[in-house]
Amino acid sequence: MDPVISIRPLLAVAVPGLAALTILLLNNREKLRDIVSPIAAIVLFAIVASMAPTVLAGGTVDLRLFEILPGVEFAFRADALGMVFATISSLLWIVAAFYSIGYMRHLNEHAQTRFFACFATSLAAAVGGAFAANLFTLVIFYEVLSLVTYPLVYHHEDEEGWRGAHKYLVYLMGASKSVLLAALALTYSIAGSLDFKEGGLLAGVNASAALLTVVYFCYLFGFAKAAVMPMHAWLPAAMVAPTPVSALLHAVAVVKMGVFCLLRVVFHVFGVKLVGELGLGIATAYLVSFTILMASIYALTRDDLKARLAYSTVSQLSYIVLGAVLLSPVAMVGGIIHMAAHAFSKITLFFCAGSIYCASGKRNISDMAGIGRRLPWTMGAFFIASLSMIGIPPTAGFISKWYLTLGSVEAGQIAFLAVLLVSSILNAAYFLPVSYAAFFGAEAEENPATIREIPMVTIPLVATAILSVLMGIFPGYFLTLADGVVK
């Protein structure tokens, strides 16, 4: 199918960008300012959805704007992999926009205009990355995302916030300005282009295996948002940010941009065949398996709920990479759809953490005994999302983990099947006790009777919990897109 030339990929970037500008202009008109994000989110999702029929049919939606260097253009292309990321980001922005309004108003947070403007700009960067047609455009939006989320991480402007934001920026920008820049330069030197290609941009190039291996690992660690150990420490440090920012970091945009970039490298820069020939798939699989297991063990030791969820994210992101580098078609499908499964589940968990804090001021799991009887909707949603993270049917996490386990068998890699099974047991070990204590634990006597659900915060988290189940029952959309990537 010939590419469809359309301005829609650019409009998808422009809508949240214009929303950010409008929010700044409405600084002194709070009610009008607050409705901008939900309206923009709905418009953005409609634009993304309008491209879905073309992409599901095997086509692409293209827009080339201008040339920077020979073989390097600022250009957009909506393809199957990009639509997975764009659908996740645009759909979850709708619920995140409503949740953020309720959260920020209830806690009477300061600098709300800056918060909502940066949040909207982050979505512009995420969608721009999703629809990038080449490495140059992708890295531009990747860097923009790092910069505009920095003020969100230091939002509270206290010592802890500045320290967490500093680590956040040092890790992400440090990796980008060193190994990622080197990878781009070497790729351009080898291939004479930075365009994504079916089968891989570097497939068939005249370069040594050693050089290509160096380039590959520069990408693996340069895209630090993927949080592959040891490039993970920024993520738990960023938990000092408000909970809606944590949801943005873990589910909607930031870490998904990291693993999305690595999937682009595997599928469209190196190509599955070249990754296999160089033995890079198995090497990466061992590295991310270590990340999966160690991050889960770290999560077990954390009493702060958001910190536990942060280390869970570090672990779960590597499931996505593992699926890609096993180089089995079934495993690759599992890795791709785990982006969506993790997004729906993890945003629910962070929303629940924020709901608990709004209602009770509690952060530590050890203080949450019995709170499920006060916050039944919140903790019910937390339990459902936990089941998805563990991989229990009929949730979204079951579908992705099922494909990952089948793919491990298909690839003949029983060791990684064991990793998936052990990590799921660890998932259960650090998630289920939270729900058990919340519903069946003895509530502290000093808990005030004012602890109750906050509708503007609770409704969005219930919606995302429902999404986790709906994807598990009706995974067809994401499966079709994933099949379009790997075939």
Side-chain angles (χ1 to χ4, degrees), residues 10-26 32-45 85 89-90 92-94 96-98 100-101 104 111-129 141 144-152 155 244-245 247-249 252-254 257:
L10 180 60
L11 289 177
V13 179
V15 165
L18 291 173
L21 180 60
T22 305
I23 289 167
L24 292 173
L25 294 174
L26 293 174
L32 285 176
R33 179 201 66 194
D34 288 352
I35 66 171
V36 172
S37 291
I39 292 172
I42 293 168
V43 173
L44 171 61
F45 180 70
F85 184 27
S89 299
S90 59
L92 291 184
W93 188 27
I94 298 173
F98 286 105
S100 298
I101 294 168
M104 301 299 278
Q112 291 190 27
T113 297
R114 181 184 70 193
F115 172 90
F116 286 113
C118 289
F119 206 110
T121 309
S122 298
L123 267 296
V127 175
F141 285 110
V144 170
L145 185 58
S146 298
L147 292 173
V148 298
T149 48
Y150 176 70
L152 295 173
H155 177 82
V245 178
L248 174 73
L249 293 173
V252 182
V254 178
M257 175 71 97

Side-chain angles (χ1 to χ4, degrees), residues 129-153:
F131 292 147
N134 52 54
L135 280 166
F136 174 79
T137 310
L138 178 62
V139 171
I140 291 294
F141 285 110
Y142 180 92
E143 300 289 14
V144 170
L145 185 58
S146 298
L147 292 173
V148 298
T149 48
Y150 176 70
L152 295 173
V153 176

Side-chain angles (χ1 to χ4, degrees), residues 154 258 285 293 320 385 450:
Y154 75 65
L293 296 177
I320 299 167
T450 54

